[in-house]
Amino acid sequence: MATHNLYARIGSVFVLTLLSILAIAQDKSSAKFGNITSRDFDVPKYGASDSGTGAIILADIGSTTFVGNDYNWLSHIFKRYTRIKILNQNGYDAATQKIWLYSKEQSAEQLTDVAAVTYNIENGKIVETKLDKKDIFEDGQTKNFVEKKFTLPGVKAGSIIEVNYTIKSDFDFRLHDWEFQSTIYPCLWSEYQVSIPNLLIYASVKQGTDSFYISKSWQTNESYSIGEQSDNQILIRPPGKILNTTVNNHRWVMRNIAPIKIESYLSSPLNYIDKIEFQLYQVSNSQETTDVVTNWETLVNQLLTDNNFGHTIDKEPYWLKDKLNELSTGAQDQLEFAKLAFTYFRDNFNCTDHNHFFVKTSLKDVFSNHNGNAGELNLLLMIMLRQYNIAADPVLLSTRDHGFSPSSYPVIDKYNYLICKAKIGEPTYYLDCSHPQLGFGFLPPECYNGEARIVTTAVPNSIILSADSVREQNTTFISINNTGDGRLSAACTMVPGMFQSYRIREAVAGAKNNQYKELLKGYLPVETQTTDIVVDSVKNTGMPVTIKYNFAINTNDAETFYFNPFATVINKNPFTTEKREYPVEMPSCTQNVYILNMEIPAGYQIDELPKSVRIKLGESDGYFEYIAVAANNHVRIRCTTIINRANFDAGYYQTLRDFFTFIVKKESEQIVFKKH
Amino acid sequence: MYHKVFFTILISCVGAKLFAQYPVSAIPDSLKKDARVVVRLNETTYEIKSPSKVSVHEHYVYTVLNEKGRNFGGYFTDYDKFKDLGDLTGTLYDANGKQLKHVKKKDFSDESGSGDETLMTDTRYKEFDFGYGIYPYTVEFEDDYDLDNMMLLQPWSPQEGSGVAVQEGRFTITAPADYVVRYRAFNYSGDPATSTSSNKKTYSWEVKNVTAIKKEIAEPVWHELVPYVMIAPSDFEAEGYKGSMESWLSFGKFINSLLAGKNTLPDPVKQKVHELTDNLSDPKQKIKVLYDFMQKNTRYISIQLGIGGWQPFDANYVYTKKYGDCKALSNYMVALLSEAGLNAKYVVIRAGSDASPMVEDFPSNQFNHATVCVPLKSDTMWLECTSQTLPAGYIGSFTGNRRALLIDTDGGHVVTTKRYFPKDNQIVTLVTGQIDPTGKLNADIEERYTGIYYGEVHDALTSTSKEEQLNSLKEGINLATYDVPSFNYDDHKDDDPYIKQHIKVVADGAASVTGKRMFFTPNFLSQNDTRLDADENRKFDVVYPYDFTQIDTLQYQLPPGYGVEAMPKDVTIDNEFGSYQIHFKVDNDKVFVNRRYERNANRFPPAKYNDLVKFYDNMYKADRSKIVFVKKDS
């Protein structure tokens, strides 16, 4: 929520463009504050009306305009009007409003004109209950944000509520974004209009899957009366201090928008919500025009001179010298040094925050406190590498749950994480020392979220960290032999992929012992007791872990003995829903190899063996292969699942689901043995 | 007093720089066993100055041994209108006891205490985390605060969790000699040391070298396991309200004083009450009608400011705003019932399905919730006023099966809320299905939930959308791939309410086909997931707080042309934990499965633990039994 002071003022190459006016039937919402008739109480129909929603947003209408202020500049005025129909108790939360206001130094955003009314029909008449101003609470949240909040009185099932308020802000970079889509309720009419004087140019970026019902732009001319406060706080309003300028107007409307759906294998629903965002791009007073940020070069230059970023890495790190000497005595070459430095920071520093990268005070403090946010720790590693003349640079990225970072759109708020790039000889390594269980050259799954930016004075390149480029290789090997007493003993060795190994390592080290057990459970056979469980290579973070255990198999001397060769696999299709709204975003590509080598139980022969089979996923997106053979008194099964992509369109969902359906079916087949 | 001040100054100015503080080498090995944290010192001092003022000084020193103890490397406290936070300092030491960092109050973060649950509160949080990267390390925190409300007194418990050992702990209470200090110690032998000087009496408890406890599944409540001292006032005063906790009766009188004058209903609602109830003769019917009226015309909103944490908003407030918290809604409900001539009572209670039971012999503020009780001739009705949907008289696992304090005109009385027995808490499942030759299953499922299960299912069904209902439903179905073409339920809000769910399931590959055979797990709904690790050294009793019965009756039509080749063995388990039976039968082209699982709420000695492990293991296997079908003509 906290906006970093300097870099919030950043624009992009997309400037508000004039779009054609649509020919339309209904141009305006009929909802207007205080204008309620009994007809409005009829439950409105909308597409997914049987969804069991608790409320319907009948209208949500916002606008932003500008006025001259007393500090020789412009302020913006955001007005919002919302009308909601409460259907049942699940919609009561819609009656609570929370508004965050920003303040910095002398200036604070002002909330005014709060009016909120609940309408109920009682004995055939519309009864109004108004919000009492005393019931608006103010709650300090962070240094720069205060929360104003209230809940409407008189709400019950069937109520209509209306809320109206205005926010005045002096902060150019806080132009209000607009979400056309709710995370909870359907919305029948969502509208936003901005009227921005040509002195301020904003980039607007639209995201989401639904299209506009209305999107139109036009220009007008306006005059803004501007005052000025002198040093002794006396207002000077010189006559004729009027700014005449063109104003760019834009109005967007969406209708009948269902709430966003939370689906599995979706890195962040935030990527798909219908929304318009604004970034300040250019400012001009009557004399000159200043680019706020127009491209990555400017952004990177600003970053590199920022007190909380560039300046902290420029300074000569004299305080690192002792540690540098210590580490370099143990290293023969750059790679060895890099590994030692990485391990040192990883094992001796705590990451307190994986969601920020700006340096709070200084890297020297981080070094002496032995803790910091992920960015601080990786910057520390970077300057240590640079001390050894390794070409190391910071790389900014947005983690999966933080949403995508738009490539052509340099906005620092879109980034929340920083890793270290190091070029050592030919290979380039991407390093993250903020996770104690992560090895040299490995990144955690949340980093694979698309475009990442290298912050260097040279032309700032981007790199793509895509889940499609990561292959999670899981290998299982089970060997089963007769023990001579009518039983069989099985020895299992499993090597999960690097991501899963990392999770297992974290669980082993972490405070939640149950978490580890739960994870391990996924690797153990469900129906038999295991013995001699060993998890190897936990400390060796450059390798996957190895899980080994034994279990006993008893034929019980039965006439027919049924054996499930996939006893260690949880047979459940990960895609449970019938339909899919958004793309499937898996954390990696998949390569599962399962090998079973089983001696035929003494006294038995094979009655039935699962058939070998191979199916493809799409043309070349993957395959599933199951080979079962019996030879030399042994059964051998080799089962391979390959998926060459991590990301699939929603349209691919059924194919993917069918593929998994086939796999779980096949993997539940059994071997049948009969006595001789 | 002077001595303490002098001592503190010495530490912060000179001491730390000259002498190593709390080196890890000074921890005896016995305390490191099974430990993630060693409490080097926990010194807590309460100075009761008057019934309305207590000065508190706390001094904590923790050595964090490894990453599992990381959350002890910081400080967290709340404060509000009644808790005036004074000095606050923190110091970080390395393993050798060398001071690395010192922080003051301004370095601690300050956060709002309100969130999704509470619209507004004056509670705020102060927090600081050293989060040091090299284990082991030691942190030291000291704070001072004044409490203007003795209902906020916290028990003293230096051993704050499993894996925590205590090297030294001291708890001191000083009070005017004529003030009755009330306490109740657990796992502490003997009485506190006392001394008297200049009209002040001091009580102190001291523990040394307490070894860490390993976490055990289903262990008893924490205060039964560790040194623990509850403390409560005799006379106390908060925001001008005076009371005494010396007995439940007197504490109830205090609550009465907070409720006084809050129950006046405005005329329109009085009329409404008479309109709704005057022509009803059955008191139960009156209660139902008024409860329904309250539910339809209010909702839960929590606003906790000052004494408002204990005192409800008045009945008129709830009537006009149509909202309130548990106190305000309960008070309103009592007022509505009183207007109809019913003798309803306000009740304070510790709510939650895993709330620790009330310590009955120690009157003190052990409550976090308010509810309503209406004693009737034949039985007693309990009304949960924060729910807009539960049937009248239903309280479930939220406030059922426990003690509570009923506030009568003469003061407080300990009462027992509704008890739910194994026969009350039932899940009855009926499945009728057909399997086709491809292994596809078509099944009709009917499930009936009663007792505490009713509330759980009711909450899940009423608080979510259709889609979310379906998603949560799917978590309980153990089939590889399936669709749910239809799903509906009936919520029978009777005196003994129940929910009946009807689900159709179509599962491709529910029976797995291998050649001429088919393998099918008939019990795909009620598979018990629990498996425990055997423990030869179980230390504490096994506490099992739930009574229930699950009955599954399953019937499947075989695929045409198939017969049964192998049936699973019947399993019967019967022991002090409960009983379990699963029975399989073939009859022509049908298979029948009957399963019954029953558990008793009780407390079992540690030696019985491994029997419980076995119980779960056997059930786990039996629940997943497979039937083998084979083609007839082959």
Side-chain angles (χ1 to χ4, degrees), chain A residues 73-118:
Chain A
W73 193 234
L74 301 161
S75 300
H76 55 94
I77 309 278
F78 172 71
K79 286 181 191 255
R80 183 171 196 167
Y81 160 68
T82 313
R83 181 189 282 188
I84 300 170
K85 168 83 180 175
I86 307 284
L87 298 176
N88 58 48
Q89 78 281 351
N90 292 338
Y92 286 170
D93 283 349
T96 297
Q97 299 277 326
K98 297 181 176 179
I99 301 158
W100 286 52
L101 300 173
Y102 181 76
S103 68
K104 193 171 176 263
E105 289 154 9
Q106 301 304 312
S107 184
E109 290 177 339
Q110 301 295 323
L111 177 70
T112 57
D113 306 330
V114 179
V117 185
T118 304

Short mmCIF file of all heavy atoms in Angstrom, two decimals, chain A residues 73-118:
data_model
loop_
_atom_site.label_atom_id
_atom_site.label_comp_id
_atom_site.label_asym_id
_atom_site.label_seq_id
_atom_site.Cartn_x
_atom_site.Cartn_y
_atom_site.Cartn_z
N TRP A 73 -0.58 25.22 -8.20
CA TRP A 73 -0.73 24.04 -9.05
C TRP A 73 -2.15 23.52 -9.00
O TRP A 73 -3.07 24.23 -8.56
CB TRP A 73 0.32 22.98 -8.65
CG TRP A 73 0.47 21.87 -9.65
CD1 TRP A 73 0.37 20.53 -9.39
CD2 TRP A 73 0.69 21.99 -11.06
NE1 TRP A 73 0.54 19.81 -10.54
CE2 TRP A 73 0.74 20.68 -11.58
CE3 TRP A 73 0.85 23.06 -11.94
CZ2 TRP A 73 0.94 20.41 -12.94
CZ3 TRP A 73 1.05 22.80 -13.28
CH2 TRP A 73 1.10 21.48 -13.77
N LEU A 74 -2.33 22.28 -9.45
CA LEU A 74 -3.67 21.70 -9.55
C LEU A 74 -3.86 20.56 -8.54
O LEU A 74 -2.90 19.86 -8.21
CB LEU A 74 -3.87 21.13 -10.96
CG LEU A 74 -3.73 22.12 -12.11
CD1 LEU A 74 -3.49 21.37 -13.41
CD2 LEU A 74 -4.98 22.98 -12.22
N SER A 75 -5.06 20.41 -8.09
CA SER A 75 -5.41 19.26 -7.26
C SER A 75 -6.46 18.47 -8.00
O SER A 75 -7.17 19.02 -8.85
CB SER A 75 -5.99 19.69 -5.92
OG SER A 75 -5.06 20.46 -5.21
N HIS A 76 -6.58 17.19 -7.67
CA HIS A 76 -7.67 16.47 -8.33
C HIS A 76 -8.75 16.07 -7.35
O HIS A 76 -8.53 15.88 -6.16
CB HIS A 76 -7.16 15.28 -9.16
CG HIS A 76 -6.32 14.30 -8.41
ND1 HIS A 76 -6.82 13.17 -7.83
CD2 HIS A 76 -4.99 14.28 -8.18
CE1 HIS A 76 -5.83 12.50 -7.27
NE2 HIS A 76 -4.72 13.14 -7.47
N ILE A 77 -9.94 16.00 -7.90
CA ILE A 77 -11.14 15.73 -7.10
C ILE A 77 -11.73 14.42 -7.61
O ILE A 77 -12.12 14.32 -8.78
CB ILE A 77 -12.20 16.84 -7.32
CG1 ILE A 77 -11.60 18.23 -7.13
CG2 ILE A 77 -13.42 16.59 -6.44
CD1 ILE A 77 -11.50 18.69 -5.73
N PHE A 78 -11.78 13.47 -6.72
CA PHE A 78 -12.34 12.16 -7.08
C PHE A 78 -13.71 12.05 -6.41
O PHE A 78 -13.84 12.23 -5.21
CB PHE A 78 -11.41 11.06 -6.57
CG PHE A 78 -11.96 9.67 -6.71
CD1 PHE A 78 -12.08 9.07 -7.96
CD2 PHE A 78 -12.35 8.94 -5.59
CE1 PHE A 78 -12.57 7.78 -8.09
CE2 PHE A 78 -12.84 7.65 -5.72
CZ PHE A 78 -12.95 7.06 -6.97
N LYS A 79 -14.71 11.79 -7.22
CA LYS A 79 -16.07 11.63 -6.67
C LYS A 79 -16.54 10.22 -6.98
O LYS A 79 -16.30 9.71 -8.07
CB LYS A 79 -17.05 12.61 -7.33
CG LYS A 79 -16.88 14.03 -6.85
CD LYS A 79 -17.91 14.92 -7.53
CE LYS A 79 -17.57 16.36 -7.26
NZ LYS A 79 -18.43 16.98 -6.30
N ARG A 80 -17.21 9.64 -6.00
CA ARG A 80 -17.71 8.29 -6.23
C ARG A 80 -19.13 8.16 -5.71
O ARG A 80 -19.45 8.62 -4.62
CB ARG A 80 -16.81 7.28 -5.52
CG ARG A 80 -17.22 5.86 -5.77
CD ARG A 80 -16.20 4.90 -5.22
NE ARG A 80 -16.40 3.57 -5.79
CZ ARG A 80 -15.50 2.59 -5.69
NH1 ARG A 80 -14.36 2.81 -5.08
NH2 ARG A 80 -15.75 1.42 -6.20
N TYR A 81 -19.94 7.52 -6.50
CA TYR A 81 -21.31 7.23 -6.10
C TYR A 81 -21.56 5.76 -6.34
O TYR A 81 -21.28 5.23 -7.42
CB TYR A 81 -22.28 8.08 -6.92
CG TYR A 81 -23.68 7.54 -6.93
CD1 TYR A 81 -24.44 7.56 -5.75
CD2 TYR A 81 -24.24 6.99 -8.07
CE1 TYR A 81 -25.72 7.03 -5.75
CE2 TYR A 81 -25.52 6.47 -8.08
CZ TYR A 81 -26.26 6.48 -6.91
OH TYR A 81 -27.52 5.95 -6.89
N THR A 82 -22.07 5.07 -5.32
CA THR A 82 -22.32 3.64 -5.45
C THR A 82 -23.73 3.31 -4.95
O THR A 82 -24.15 3.82 -3.92
CB THR A 82 -21.30 2.83 -4.60
OG1 THR A 82 -19.99 3.34 -4.85
CG2 THR A 82 -21.34 1.36 -4.93
N ARG A 83 -24.41 2.48 -5.71
CA ARG A 83 -25.72 1.99 -5.25
C ARG A 83 -25.68 0.47 -5.28
O ARG A 83 -25.31 -0.13 -6.29
CB ARG A 83 -26.85 2.50 -6.14
CG ARG A 83 -28.22 2.01 -5.68
CD ARG A 83 -29.31 2.34 -6.68
NE ARG A 83 -29.71 3.75 -6.59
CZ ARG A 83 -30.76 4.24 -7.27
NH1 ARG A 83 -31.46 3.46 -8.07
NH2 ARG A 83 -31.07 5.51 -7.16
N ILE A 84 -26.05 -0.13 -4.15
CA ILE A 84 -25.95 -1.58 -4.02
C ILE A 84 -27.27 -2.15 -3.50
O ILE A 84 -27.88 -1.59 -2.60
CB ILE A 84 -24.80 -1.97 -3.04
CG1 ILE A 84 -23.47 -1.43 -3.56
CG2 ILE A 84 -24.73 -3.49 -2.84
CD1 ILE A 84 -22.33 -1.55 -2.57
N LYS A 85 -27.67 -3.25 -4.08
CA LYS A 85 -28.83 -3.98 -3.57
C LYS A 85 -28.31 -5.12 -2.70
O LYS A 85 -27.52 -5.95 -3.15
CB LYS A 85 -29.62 -4.54 -4.76
CG LYS A 85 -30.68 -5.55 -4.41
CD LYS A 85 -31.97 -4.90 -3.97
CE LYS A 85 -33.01 -5.96 -3.61
NZ LYS A 85 -34.23 -5.33 -3.07
N ILE A 86 -28.75 -5.12 -1.44
CA ILE A 86 -28.34 -6.20 -0.53
C ILE A 86 -29.38 -7.31 -0.64
O ILE A 86 -30.57 -7.08 -0.41
CB ILE A 86 -28.30 -5.70 0.93
CG1 ILE A 86 -27.44 -4.44 1.06
CG2 ILE A 86 -27.83 -6.81 1.87
CD1 ILE A 86 -25.97 -4.64 1.02
N LEU A 87 -28.95 -8.50 -1.00
CA LEU A 87 -29.91 -9.59 -1.18
C LEU A 87 -30.08 -10.43 0.08
O LEU A 87 -31.17 -10.83 0.42
CB LEU A 87 -29.45 -10.49 -2.33
CG LEU A 87 -29.37 -9.82 -3.71
CD1 LEU A 87 -28.83 -10.80 -4.73
CD2 LEU A 87 -30.73 -9.30 -4.14
N ASN A 88 -28.97 -10.72 0.74
CA ASN A 88 -29.05 -11.52 1.97
C ASN A 88 -27.84 -11.24 2.83
O ASN A 88 -27.03 -10.37 2.52
CB ASN A 88 -29.17 -13.02 1.62
CG ASN A 88 -28.00 -13.50 0.80
OD1 ASN A 88 -26.84 -13.23 1.13
ND2 ASN A 88 -28.27 -14.19 -0.29
N GLN A 89 -27.73 -12.01 3.91
CA GLN A 89 -26.68 -11.71 4.90
C GLN A 89 -25.27 -11.80 4.32
O GLN A 89 -24.35 -11.19 4.83
CB GLN A 89 -26.83 -12.61 6.14
CG GLN A 89 -26.32 -14.04 6.01
CD GLN A 89 -27.27 -14.96 5.27
OE1 GLN A 89 -28.41 -14.59 4.97
NE2 GLN A 89 -26.81 -16.16 4.97
N ASN A 90 -25.10 -12.54 3.23
CA ASN A 90 -23.77 -12.62 2.62
C ASN A 90 -23.37 -11.33 1.92
O ASN A 90 -22.23 -11.18 1.50
CB ASN A 90 -23.70 -13.78 1.63
CG ASN A 90 -23.79 -15.11 2.33
OD1 ASN A 90 -23.50 -15.20 3.52
ND2 ASN A 90 -24.20 -16.13 1.61
N GLY A 91 -24.32 -10.42 1.79
CA GLY A 91 -24.00 -9.14 1.15
C GLY A 91 -23.81 -8.02 2.16
O GLY A 91 -23.56 -6.87 1.77
N TYR A 92 -23.92 -8.33 3.45
CA TYR A 92 -23.83 -7.25 4.46
C TYR A 92 -22.48 -6.53 4.44
O TYR A 92 -22.41 -5.35 4.75
CB TYR A 92 -24.09 -7.82 5.87
CG TYR A 92 -25.54 -8.14 6.15
CD1 TYR A 92 -25.90 -8.85 7.30
CD2 TYR A 92 -26.55 -7.75 5.28
CE1 TYR A 92 -27.23 -9.15 7.57
CE2 TYR A 92 -27.88 -8.05 5.54
CZ TYR A 92 -28.21 -8.76 6.69
OH TYR A 92 -29.52 -9.06 6.96
N ASP A 93 -21.43 -7.25 4.07
CA ASP A 93 -20.11 -6.60 4.05
C ASP A 93 -20.06 -5.44 3.06
O ASP A 93 -19.25 -4.53 3.20
CB ASP A 93 -19.01 -7.61 3.68
CG ASP A 93 -18.67 -8.50 4.86
OD1 ASP A 93 -19.12 -8.19 5.98
OD2 ASP A 93 -17.98 -9.51 4.66
N ALA A 94 -20.94 -5.48 2.07
CA ALA A 94 -20.96 -4.40 1.08
C ALA A 94 -21.39 -3.08 1.72
O ALA A 94 -21.18 -2.01 1.15
CB ALA A 94 -21.89 -4.75 -0.08
N ALA A 95 -21.98 -3.16 2.91
CA ALA A 95 -22.44 -1.94 3.58
C ALA A 95 -21.34 -1.27 4.38
O ALA A 95 -21.54 -0.23 4.99
CB ALA A 95 -23.62 -2.26 4.48
N THR A 96 -20.17 -1.88 4.41
CA THR A 96 -19.04 -1.28 5.13
C THR A 96 -18.05 -0.72 4.12
O THR A 96 -17.65 -1.40 3.19
CB THR A 96 -18.36 -2.33 6.02
OG1 THR A 96 -19.30 -2.76 7.01
CG2 THR A 96 -17.14 -1.75 6.72
N GLN A 97 -17.72 0.53 4.29
CA GLN A 97 -16.83 1.21 3.36
C GLN A 97 -15.54 1.60 4.07
O GLN A 97 -15.58 2.12 5.19
CB GLN A 97 -17.51 2.49 2.84
CG GLN A 97 -18.79 2.25 2.09
CD GLN A 97 -18.56 1.87 0.64
OE1 GLN A 97 -17.61 2.35 0.01
NE2 GLN A 97 -19.41 1.02 0.11
N LYS A 98 -14.43 1.34 3.41
CA LYS A 98 -13.14 1.72 3.98
C LYS A 98 -12.39 2.53 2.94
O LYS A 98 -12.21 2.07 1.82
CB LYS A 98 -12.35 0.48 4.39
CG LYS A 98 -13.05 -0.30 5.48
CD LYS A 98 -12.26 -1.53 5.92
CE LYS A 98 -12.99 -2.20 7.08
NZ LYS A 98 -12.32 -3.40 7.56
N ILE A 99 -11.97 3.70 3.30
CA ILE A 99 -11.33 4.60 2.34
C ILE A 99 -9.96 5.00 2.90
O ILE A 99 -9.87 5.51 4.01
CB ILE A 99 -12.20 5.86 2.13
CG1 ILE A 99 -13.58 5.44 1.61
CG2 ILE A 99 -11.53 6.84 1.17
CD1 ILE A 99 -14.66 6.46 1.87
N TRP A 100 -8.92 4.74 2.12
CA TRP A 100 -7.56 5.06 2.58
C TRP A 100 -7.15 6.42 2.00
O TRP A 100 -7.27 6.65 0.80
CB TRP A 100 -6.58 3.98 2.14
CG TRP A 100 -6.72 2.72 2.94
CD1 TRP A 100 -7.88 2.02 3.16
CD2 TRP A 100 -5.69 2.02 3.65
NE1 TRP A 100 -7.62 0.93 3.94
CE2 TRP A 100 -6.31 0.90 4.26
CE3 TRP A 100 -4.32 2.21 3.82
CZ2 TRP A 100 -5.58 -0.02 5.04
CZ3 TRP A 100 -3.60 1.30 4.59
CH2 TRP A 100 -4.23 0.20 5.19
N LEU A 101 -6.66 7.27 2.89
CA LEU A 101 -6.24 8.60 2.47
C LEU A 101 -4.75 8.76 2.71
O LEU A 101 -4.24 8.39 3.76
CB LEU A 101 -7.00 9.66 3.28
CG LEU A 101 -8.53 9.63 3.14
CD1 LEU A 101 -9.16 10.60 4.11
CD2 LEU A 101 -8.94 9.96 1.70
N TYR A 102 -4.10 9.35 1.73
CA TYR A 102 -2.65 9.49 1.77
C TYR A 102 -2.27 10.86 2.32
O TYR A 102 -2.97 11.85 2.06
CB TYR A 102 -2.13 9.33 0.35
CG TYR A 102 -0.63 9.42 0.18
CD1 TYR A 102 0.19 8.36 0.56
CD2 TYR A 102 -0.05 10.55 -0.37
CE1 TYR A 102 1.57 8.44 0.38
CE2 TYR A 102 1.33 10.62 -0.55
CZ TYR A 102 2.13 9.56 -0.17
OH TYR A 102 3.48 9.64 -0.35
N SER A 103 -1.19 10.93 3.04
CA SER A 103 -0.69 12.23 3.47
C SER A 103 0.82 12.20 3.45
O SER A 103 1.44 11.16 3.62
CB SER A 103 -1.18 12.57 4.88
OG SER A 103 -0.59 11.70 5.81
N LYS A 104 1.39 13.37 3.20
CA LYS A 104 2.84 13.46 3.22
C LYS A 104 3.20 14.88 3.59
O LYS A 104 2.66 15.83 2.99
CB LYS A 104 3.40 13.08 1.85
CG LYS A 104 4.88 12.86 1.91
CD LYS A 104 5.40 12.28 0.61
CE LYS A 104 6.90 12.17 0.70
NZ LYS A 104 7.57 13.30 0.08
N GLU A 105 4.06 15.01 4.55
CA GLU A 105 4.47 16.33 5.05
C GLU A 105 3.25 17.20 5.33
O GLU A 105 2.40 16.81 6.11
CB GLU A 105 5.45 16.98 4.06
CG GLU A 105 6.81 16.26 4.09
CD GLU A 105 7.59 16.37 2.80
OE1 GLU A 105 7.20 17.15 1.92
OE2 GLU A 105 8.61 15.66 2.69
N GLN A 106 3.15 18.37 4.66
CA GLN A 106 2.06 19.27 5.01
C GLN A 106 0.75 18.89 4.36
O GLN A 106 -0.30 19.39 4.73
CB GLN A 106 2.41 20.71 4.56
CG GLN A 106 3.68 21.25 5.16
CD GLN A 106 3.66 21.20 6.68
OE1 GLN A 106 2.69 21.61 7.31
NE2 GLN A 106 4.72 20.66 7.28
N SER A 107 0.79 18.05 3.37
CA SER A 107 -0.40 17.83 2.57
C SER A 107 -1.07 16.50 2.89
O SER A 107 -0.40 15.50 3.11
CB SER A 107 0.00 17.86 1.09
OG SER A 107 -1.14 17.75 0.30
N ALA A 108 -2.40 16.55 2.93
CA ALA A 108 -3.14 15.33 3.22
C ALA A 108 -4.39 15.29 2.34
O ALA A 108 -5.03 16.31 2.11
CB ALA A 108 -3.54 15.27 4.68
N GLU A 109 -4.72 14.13 1.87
CA GLU A 109 -5.95 13.98 1.09
C GLU A 109 -7.15 14.20 2.01
O GLU A 109 -7.15 13.76 3.16
CB GLU A 109 -6.01 12.59 0.44
CG GLU A 109 -4.98 12.45 -0.67
CD GLU A 109 -4.93 11.06 -1.29
OE1 GLU A 109 -5.37 10.09 -0.65
OE2 GLU A 109 -4.42 10.95 -2.42
N GLN A 110 -8.17 14.86 1.48
CA GLN A 110 -9.34 15.21 2.28
C GLN A 110 -10.56 14.44 1.79
O GLN A 110 -10.85 14.45 0.60
CB GLN A 110 -9.65 16.71 2.16
CG GLN A 110 -8.54 17.64 2.59
CD GLN A 110 -8.23 17.53 4.07
OE1 GLN A 110 -9.14 17.36 4.88
NE2 GLN A 110 -6.95 17.59 4.41
N LEU A 111 -11.24 13.82 2.75
CA LEU A 111 -12.51 13.15 2.43
C LEU A 111 -13.64 14.10 2.79
O LEU A 111 -13.73 14.56 3.93
CB LEU A 111 -12.62 11.86 3.23
CG LEU A 111 -13.92 11.07 3.08
CD1 LEU A 111 -14.03 10.45 1.69
CD2 LEU A 111 -14.02 9.99 4.15
N THR A 112 -14.49 14.41 1.82
CA THR A 112 -15.61 15.31 2.10
C THR A 112 -16.89 14.75 1.49
O THR A 112 -16.86 13.75 0.75
CB THR A 112 -15.36 16.71 1.49
OG1 THR A 112 -15.13 16.55 0.08
CG2 THR A 112 -14.18 17.40 2.12
N ASP A 113 -17.98 15.44 1.76
CA ASP A 113 -19.29 15.13 1.17
C ASP A 113 -19.69 13.67 1.35
O ASP A 113 -20.28 13.07 0.45
CB ASP A 113 -19.29 15.43 -0.35
CG ASP A 113 -18.85 16.85 -0.64
OD1 ASP A 113 -19.08 17.70 0.22
OD2 ASP A 113 -18.26 17.08 -1.71
N VAL A 114 -19.35 13.10 2.51
CA VAL A 114 -19.76 11.71 2.71
C VAL A 114 -21.25 11.69 2.99
O VAL A 114 -21.73 12.35 3.91
CB VAL A 114 -19.01 11.06 3.89
CG1 VAL A 114 -19.48 9.63 4.09
CG2 VAL A 114 -17.51 11.09 3.64
N ALA A 115 -21.98 10.99 2.17
CA ALA A 115 -23.41 10.81 2.41
C ALA A 115 -23.71 9.35 2.14
O ALA A 115 -23.26 8.80 1.13
CB ALA A 115 -24.23 11.70 1.50
N ALA A 116 -24.41 8.72 3.05
CA ALA A 116 -24.73 7.31 2.86
C ALA A 116 -26.11 7.06 3.43
O ALA A 116 -26.42 7.50 4.53
CB ALA A 116 -23.69 6.43 3.55
N VAL A 117 -26.94 6.40 2.65
CA VAL A 117 -28.33 6.17 3.07
C VAL A 117 -28.72 4.72 2.77
O VAL A 117 -28.32 4.16 1.75
CB VAL A 117 -29.29 7.10 2.28
CG1 VAL A 117 -30.71 6.96 2.80
CG2 VAL A 117 -28.84 8.55 2.36
N THR A 118 -29.47 4.17 3.71
CA THR A 118 -30.05 2.84 3.48
C THR A 118 -31.55 3.00 3.25
O THR A 118 -32.20 3.78 3.96
CB THR A 118 -29.83 1.95 4.72
OG1 THR A 118 -28.44 1.90 4.99
CG2 THR A 118 -30.37 0.55 4.50
#
